[in-house]
mmCIF file of all heavy atoms in Angstrom:
data_model
loop_
_atom_site.group_PDB
_atom_site.id
_atom_site.type_symbol
_atom_site.label_atom_id
_atom_site.label_comp_id
_atom_site.label_asym_id
_atom_site.label_seq_id
_atom_site.Cartn_x
_atom_site.Cartn_y
_atom_site.Cartn_z
ATOM 1 N N ILE A 1707 39.793 24.335 -20.405
ATOM 2 C CA ILE A 1707 39.803 23.148 -21.286
ATOM 3 C C ILE A 1707 41.139 23.176 -22.122
ATOM 4 O O ILE A 1707 41.467 24.389 -22.693
ATOM 5 C CB ILE A 1707 38.665 23.251 -22.272
ATOM 6 C CG1 ILE A 1707 37.325 23.054 -21.472
ATOM 7 C CG2 ILE A 1707 38.698 22.221 -23.478
ATOM 8 C CD1 ILE A 1707 35.966 23.370 -22.217
ATOM 9 N N PRO A 1708 41.810 22.077 -22.220
ATOM 10 C CA PRO A 1708 43.051 22.170 -22.935
ATOM 11 C C PRO A 1708 42.998 22.530 -24.326
ATOM 12 O O PRO A 1708 41.859 22.225 -25.119
ATOM 13 C CB PRO A 1708 43.594 20.593 -22.892
ATOM 14 C CG PRO A 1708 42.843 20.161 -21.735
ATOM 15 C CD PRO A 1708 41.518 20.833 -21.659
ATOM 16 N N GLU A 1709 43.951 23.135 -25.050
ATOM 17 C CA GLU A 1709 43.929 23.597 -26.426
ATOM 18 C C GLU A 1709 43.815 22.465 -27.357
ATOM 19 O O GLU A 1709 43.074 22.561 -28.363
ATOM 20 C CB GLU A 1709 45.241 24.208 -26.646
ATOM 21 C CG GLU A 1709 45.445 25.588 -26.014
ATOM 22 C CD GLU A 1709 44.453 26.610 -26.469
ATOM 23 O OE1 GLU A 1709 44.010 26.492 -27.631
ATOM 24 O OE2 GLU A 1709 44.053 27.565 -25.639
ATOM 25 N N THR A 1710 44.177 21.227 -26.905
ATOM 26 C CA THR A 1710 44.186 20.062 -27.822
ATOM 27 C C THR A 1710 42.776 19.726 -28.162
ATOM 28 O O THR A 1710 42.491 19.247 -29.247
ATOM 29 C CB THR A 1710 44.568 18.851 -26.996
ATOM 30 O OG1 THR A 1710 44.969 19.053 -25.602
ATOM 31 C CG2 THR A 1710 45.860 18.266 -27.779
ATOM 32 N N ILE A 1711 41.794 19.961 -27.332
ATOM 33 C CA ILE A 1711 40.387 19.553 -27.638
ATOM 34 C C ILE A 1711 39.301 20.523 -27.713
ATOM 35 O O ILE A 1711 38.083 20.381 -27.726
ATOM 36 C CB ILE A 1711 39.803 18.448 -26.531
ATOM 37 C CG1 ILE A 1711 39.972 19.072 -25.244
ATOM 38 C CG2 ILE A 1711 40.585 17.106 -26.647
ATOM 39 C CD1 ILE A 1711 39.357 18.234 -24.032
ATOM 40 N N LYS A 1712 39.786 21.874 -27.976
ATOM 41 C CA LYS A 1712 38.980 22.880 -28.128
ATOM 42 C C LYS A 1712 38.331 22.879 -29.494
ATOM 43 O O LYS A 1712 39.029 22.248 -30.368
ATOM 44 C CB LYS A 1712 39.614 24.240 -27.899
ATOM 45 C CG LYS A 1712 39.887 24.711 -26.480
ATOM 46 C CD LYS A 1712 40.363 26.083 -26.320
ATOM 47 C CE LYS A 1712 40.562 26.509 -24.910
ATOM 48 N NZ LYS A 1712 41.053 27.761 -24.814
ATOM 49 N N ILE A 1713 37.180 23.461 -29.816
ATOM 50 C CA ILE A 1713 36.652 23.426 -31.254
ATOM 51 C C ILE A 1713 37.583 23.979 -32.188
ATOM 52 O O ILE A 1713 37.451 23.409 -33.404
ATOM 53 C CB ILE A 1713 35.279 24.038 -31.199
ATOM 54 C CG1 ILE A 1713 34.420 23.626 -32.407
ATOM 55 C CG2 ILE A 1713 35.273 25.542 -31.021
ATOM 56 C CD1 ILE A 1713 32.868 23.858 -32.306
ATOM 57 N N SER A 1714 38.367 24.906 -31.801
ATOM 58 C CA SER A 1714 39.158 25.514 -32.783
ATOM 59 C C SER A 1714 40.560 24.917 -32.964
ATOM 60 O O SER A 1714 41.493 25.455 -33.703
ATOM 61 C CB SER A 1714 39.432 27.041 -32.535
ATOM 62 O OG SER A 1714 39.955 27.177 -31.214
ATOM 63 N N SER A 1715 40.811 23.808 -32.265
ATOM 64 C CA SER A 1715 42.107 23.156 -32.138
ATOM 65 C C SER A 1715 42.553 22.797 -33.555
ATOM 66 O O SER A 1715 41.829 22.225 -34.266
ATOM 67 C CB SER A 1715 42.128 22.018 -31.308
ATOM 68 O OG SER A 1715 43.331 21.299 -31.289
ATOM 69 N N THR A 1716 43.948 22.999 -33.797
ATOM 70 C CA THR A 1716 44.540 22.524 -35.017
ATOM 71 C C THR A 1716 45.484 21.325 -34.739
ATOM 72 O O THR A 1716 46.173 20.874 -35.584
ATOM 73 C CB THR A 1716 45.275 23.784 -35.654
ATOM 74 O OG1 THR A 1716 46.350 24.330 -34.728
ATOM 75 C CG2 THR A 1716 44.406 24.795 -36.120
ATOM 76 N N ILE A 1717 45.602 21.035 -33.323
ATOM 77 C CA ILE A 1717 46.503 19.935 -32.971
ATOM 78 C C ILE A 1717 45.882 18.628 -32.539
ATOM 79 O O ILE A 1717 46.413 17.842 -32.013
ATOM 80 C CB ILE A 1717 47.602 20.536 -31.965
ATOM 81 C CG1 ILE A 1717 46.702 21.112 -30.731
ATOM 82 C CG2 ILE A 1717 48.455 21.633 -32.487
ATOM 83 C CD1 ILE A 1717 47.664 21.481 -29.595
ATOM 84 N N TYR A 1718 44.534 18.745 -32.605
ATOM 85 C CA TYR A 1718 43.800 17.595 -32.059
ATOM 86 C C TYR A 1718 44.009 16.515 -32.888
ATOM 87 O O TYR A 1718 44.116 16.459 -34.189
ATOM 88 C CB TYR A 1718 42.216 17.870 -32.274
ATOM 89 C CG TYR A 1718 41.335 16.698 -31.905
ATOM 90 C CD1 TYR A 1718 41.328 16.209 -30.700
ATOM 91 C CD2 TYR A 1718 40.549 16.186 -33.004
ATOM 92 C CE1 TYR A 1718 40.613 14.971 -30.420
ATOM 93 C CE2 TYR A 1718 39.772 15.066 -32.733
ATOM 94 C CZ TYR A 1718 39.719 14.518 -31.467
ATOM 95 O OH TYR A 1718 38.883 13.357 -31.257
ATOM 96 N N LYS A 1719 44.213 15.254 -32.292
ATOM 97 C CA LYS A 1719 44.570 13.947 -33.006
ATOM 98 C C LYS A 1719 43.153 13.175 -32.970
ATOM 99 O O LYS A 1719 42.765 12.895 -32.004
ATOM 100 C CB LYS A 1719 45.741 13.223 -32.238
ATOM 101 C CG LYS A 1719 47.087 13.907 -32.369
ATOM 102 C CD LYS A 1719 48.119 13.263 -31.488
ATOM 103 C CE LYS A 1719 49.322 14.009 -31.524
ATOM 104 N NZ LYS A 1719 50.352 13.434 -30.480
ATOM 105 N N TYR A 1720 42.832 12.609 -34.175
ATOM 106 C CA TYR A 1720 41.595 11.932 -34.334
ATOM 107 C C TYR A 1720 41.871 10.465 -33.958
ATOM 108 O O TYR A 1720 42.535 9.738 -34.792
ATOM 109 C CB TYR A 1720 41.108 12.121 -35.699
ATOM 110 C CG TYR A 1720 39.676 11.379 -35.938
ATOM 111 C CD1 TYR A 1720 38.662 11.821 -35.233
ATOM 112 C CD2 TYR A 1720 39.511 10.475 -37.027
ATOM 113 C CE1 TYR A 1720 37.412 11.325 -35.397
ATOM 114 C CE2 TYR A 1720 38.269 9.879 -37.183
ATOM 115 C CZ TYR A 1720 37.180 10.381 -36.492
ATOM 116 O OH TYR A 1720 35.978 9.927 -36.714
ATOM 117 N N PRO A 1721 41.498 10.008 -32.772
ATOM 118 C CA PRO A 1721 41.799 8.685 -32.354
ATOM 119 C C PRO A 1721 41.565 7.481 -33.314
ATOM 120 O O PRO A 1721 42.408 6.504 -33.471
ATOM 121 C CB PRO A 1721 40.886 8.505 -31.121
ATOM 122 C CG PRO A 1721 40.683 9.779 -30.655
ATOM 123 C CD PRO A 1721 40.599 10.700 -31.903
ATOM 124 N N HIS A 1722 40.460 7.644 -34.121
ATOM 125 C CA HIS A 1722 40.197 6.656 -35.142
ATOM 126 C C HIS A 1722 41.307 6.466 -36.264
ATOM 127 O O HIS A 1722 41.237 5.548 -37.008
ATOM 128 C CB HIS A 1722 38.840 6.746 -35.746
ATOM 129 C CG HIS A 1722 37.692 6.765 -34.662
ATOM 130 N ND1 HIS A 1722 37.368 5.462 -34.034
ATOM 131 C CD2 HIS A 1722 36.867 7.647 -34.220
ATOM 132 C CE1 HIS A 1722 36.397 5.706 -33.115
ATOM 133 N NE2 HIS A 1722 36.040 7.091 -33.274
ATOM 134 N N SER A 1723 42.057 7.426 -36.452
ATOM 135 C CA SER A 1723 43.266 7.392 -37.378
ATOM 136 C C SER A 1723 44.299 6.660 -36.879
ATOM 137 O O SER A 1723 45.352 6.546 -37.533
ATOM 138 C CB SER A 1723 43.571 8.778 -37.766
ATOM 139 O OG SER A 1723 42.397 9.517 -38.295
ATOM 140 N N PHE A 1724 44.273 6.117 -35.577
ATOM 141 C CA PHE A 1724 45.463 5.530 -34.975
ATOM 142 C C PHE A 1724 45.051 4.020 -34.702
ATOM 143 O O PHE A 1724 43.904 3.612 -34.576
ATOM 144 C CB PHE A 1724 45.939 6.216 -33.672
ATOM 145 C CG PHE A 1724 46.454 7.619 -34.027
ATOM 146 C CD1 PHE A 1724 45.562 8.598 -34.216
ATOM 147 C CD2 PHE A 1724 47.785 7.834 -34.086
ATOM 148 C CE1 PHE A 1724 46.044 9.958 -34.389
ATOM 149 C CE2 PHE A 1724 48.293 9.182 -34.343
ATOM 150 C CZ PHE A 1724 47.359 10.149 -34.464
ATOM 151 N N PRO A 1725 46.101 3.215 -34.590
ATOM 152 C CA PRO A 1725 45.942 1.775 -34.277
ATOM 153 C C PRO A 1725 45.138 1.598 -32.894
ATOM 154 O O PRO A 1725 45.400 2.317 -32.002
ATOM 155 C CB PRO A 1725 47.226 1.189 -34.215
ATOM 156 C CG PRO A 1725 48.157 2.089 -34.952
ATOM 157 C CD PRO A 1725 47.636 3.442 -34.777
ATOM 158 N N GLY A 1726 44.287 0.757 -32.896
ATOM 159 C CA GLY A 1726 43.357 0.596 -31.768
ATOM 160 C C GLY A 1726 42.511 1.683 -31.457
ATOM 161 O O GLY A 1726 41.972 1.759 -30.300
ATOM 162 N N SER A 1727 42.358 2.630 -32.364
ATOM 163 C CA SER A 1727 41.438 3.862 -32.013
ATOM 164 C C SER A 1727 41.843 4.571 -30.846
ATOM 165 O O SER A 1727 41.000 5.093 -30.111
ATOM 166 C CB SER A 1727 39.933 3.465 -32.088
ATOM 167 O OG SER A 1727 39.604 2.897 -33.409
ATOM 168 N N PHE A 1728 43.179 4.525 -30.600
ATOM 169 C CA PHE A 1728 43.665 5.328 -29.275
ATOM 170 C C PHE A 1728 44.939 5.952 -29.528
ATOM 171 O O PHE A 1728 45.804 5.505 -30.326
ATOM 172 C CB PHE A 1728 43.771 4.297 -28.254
ATOM 173 C CG PHE A 1728 44.268 5.051 -26.937
ATOM 174 C CD1 PHE A 1728 43.549 5.746 -26.141
ATOM 175 C CD2 PHE A 1728 45.643 4.840 -26.586
ATOM 176 C CE1 PHE A 1728 44.094 6.478 -25.008
ATOM 177 C CE2 PHE A 1728 46.166 5.478 -25.480
ATOM 178 C CZ PHE A 1728 45.402 6.193 -24.765
ATOM 179 N N VAL A 1729 44.956 7.197 -29.134
ATOM 180 C CA VAL A 1729 46.276 8.011 -29.252
ATOM 181 C C VAL A 1729 46.387 8.786 -28.027
ATOM 182 O O VAL A 1729 45.375 9.382 -27.372
ATOM 183 C CB VAL A 1729 46.366 8.951 -30.337
ATOM 184 C CG1 VAL A 1729 45.085 9.941 -30.429
ATOM 185 C CG2 VAL A 1729 47.699 9.677 -30.573
ATOM 186 N N VAL A 1730 47.666 8.884 -27.405
ATOM 187 C CA VAL A 1730 47.847 9.647 -26.197
ATOM 188 C C VAL A 1730 47.836 11.154 -26.553
ATOM 189 O O VAL A 1730 48.497 11.653 -27.527
ATOM 190 C CB VAL A 1730 49.232 9.362 -25.577
ATOM 191 C CG1 VAL A 1730 49.416 10.233 -24.401
ATOM 192 C CG2 VAL A 1730 49.191 7.821 -25.190
ATOM 193 N N GLN A 1731 47.008 11.922 -25.946
ATOM 194 C CA GLN A 1731 46.971 13.390 -25.909
ATOM 195 C C GLN A 1731 46.189 13.872 -24.640
ATOM 196 O O GLN A 1731 45.660 13.250 -24.001
ATOM 197 C CB GLN A 1731 46.224 13.920 -27.238
ATOM 198 C CG GLN A 1731 44.822 13.608 -27.381
ATOM 199 C CD GLN A 1731 44.161 13.869 -28.673
ATOM 200 O OE1 GLN A 1731 44.630 14.937 -29.233
ATOM 201 N NE2 GLN A 1731 43.325 13.073 -29.203
ATOM 202 N N GLN A 1732 46.245 15.179 -24.406
ATOM 203 C CA GLN A 1732 45.707 15.785 -23.316
ATOM 204 C C GLN A 1732 44.212 16.017 -23.264
ATOM 205 O O GLN A 1732 43.790 16.728 -24.262
ATOM 206 C CB GLN A 1732 46.465 17.052 -22.881
ATOM 207 C CG GLN A 1732 45.967 17.568 -21.503
ATOM 208 C CD GLN A 1732 46.742 18.772 -20.993
ATOM 209 O OE1 GLN A 1732 47.867 19.066 -21.525
ATOM 210 N NE2 GLN A 1732 46.100 19.435 -20.114
ATOM 211 N N TYR A 1733 43.474 15.541 -22.493
ATOM 212 C CA TYR A 1733 42.044 15.797 -22.427
ATOM 213 C C TYR A 1733 41.666 16.579 -21.101
ATOM 214 O O TYR A 1733 40.855 17.413 -21.190
ATOM 215 C CB TYR A 1733 41.200 14.538 -22.473
ATOM 216 C CG TYR A 1733 41.339 13.755 -23.789
ATOM 217 C CD1 TYR A 1733 42.239 12.754 -23.854
ATOM 218 C CD2 TYR A 1733 40.650 14.141 -24.954
ATOM 219 C CE1 TYR A 1733 42.278 11.929 -25.065
ATOM 220 C CE2 TYR A 1733 40.674 13.431 -26.048
ATOM 221 C CZ TYR A 1733 41.573 12.304 -26.170
ATOM 222 O OH TYR A 1733 41.684 11.676 -27.369
ATOM 223 N N MET A 1734 42.263 16.161 -20.045
ATOM 224 C CA MET A 1734 41.967 16.757 -18.733
ATOM 225 C C MET A 1734 42.598 18.167 -18.559
ATOM 226 O O MET A 1734 43.671 18.375 -19.046
ATOM 227 C CB MET A 1734 42.576 15.829 -17.647
ATOM 228 C CG MET A 1734 42.074 16.264 -16.244
ATOM 229 S SD MET A 1734 40.233 15.840 -15.998
ATOM 230 C CE MET A 1734 40.356 14.173 -15.380
ATOM 231 N N PRO A 1735 41.913 19.134 -17.961
ATOM 232 C CA PRO A 1735 42.578 20.504 -17.589
ATOM 233 C C PRO A 1735 43.863 20.236 -16.814
ATOM 234 O O PRO A 1735 44.128 19.245 -16.142
ATOM 235 C CB PRO A 1735 41.690 21.057 -16.719
ATOM 236 C CG PRO A 1735 40.232 20.512 -17.139
ATOM 237 C CD PRO A 1735 40.552 19.070 -17.523
ATOM 238 N N ASP A 1736 44.843 21.197 -17.158
ATOM 239 C CA ASP A 1736 46.200 21.109 -16.467
ATOM 240 C C ASP A 1736 46.096 20.861 -14.881
ATOM 241 O O ASP A 1736 46.837 20.098 -14.325
ATOM 242 C CB ASP A 1736 46.987 22.461 -16.681
ATOM 243 C CG ASP A 1736 47.385 22.602 -18.117
ATOM 244 O OD1 ASP A 1736 47.311 21.521 -18.896
ATOM 245 O OD2 ASP A 1736 47.644 23.818 -18.591
ATOM 246 N N LYS A 1737 45.188 21.521 -14.342
ATOM 247 C CA LYS A 1737 45.017 21.499 -12.906
ATOM 248 C C LYS A 1737 44.573 20.155 -12.392
ATOM 249 O O LYS A 1737 44.863 19.694 -11.232
ATOM 250 C CB LYS A 1737 43.967 22.430 -12.350
ATOM 251 C CG LYS A 1737 43.809 22.827 -10.967
ATOM 252 C CD LYS A 1737 42.728 23.814 -10.784
ATOM 253 C CE LYS A 1737 42.576 24.183 -9.225
ATOM 254 N NZ LYS A 1737 41.662 25.169 -9.107
#
Side-chain angles (χ1 to χ4, degrees):
I1707 295 170
E1709 292 296 328
T1710 8
I1711 55 172
K1712 285 185 177 179
I1713 194 167
S1714 58
S1715 175
T1716 57
I1717 55 174
Y1718 172 64
K1719 298 173 184 176
Y1720 187 57
H1722 296 293
S1723 299
F1724 294 83
S1727 296
F1728 176 77
V1729 60
V1730 175
Q1731 63 184 327
Q1732 183 177 343
Y1733 296 98
M1734 192 71 95
D1736 290 342
K1737 191 176 180 180

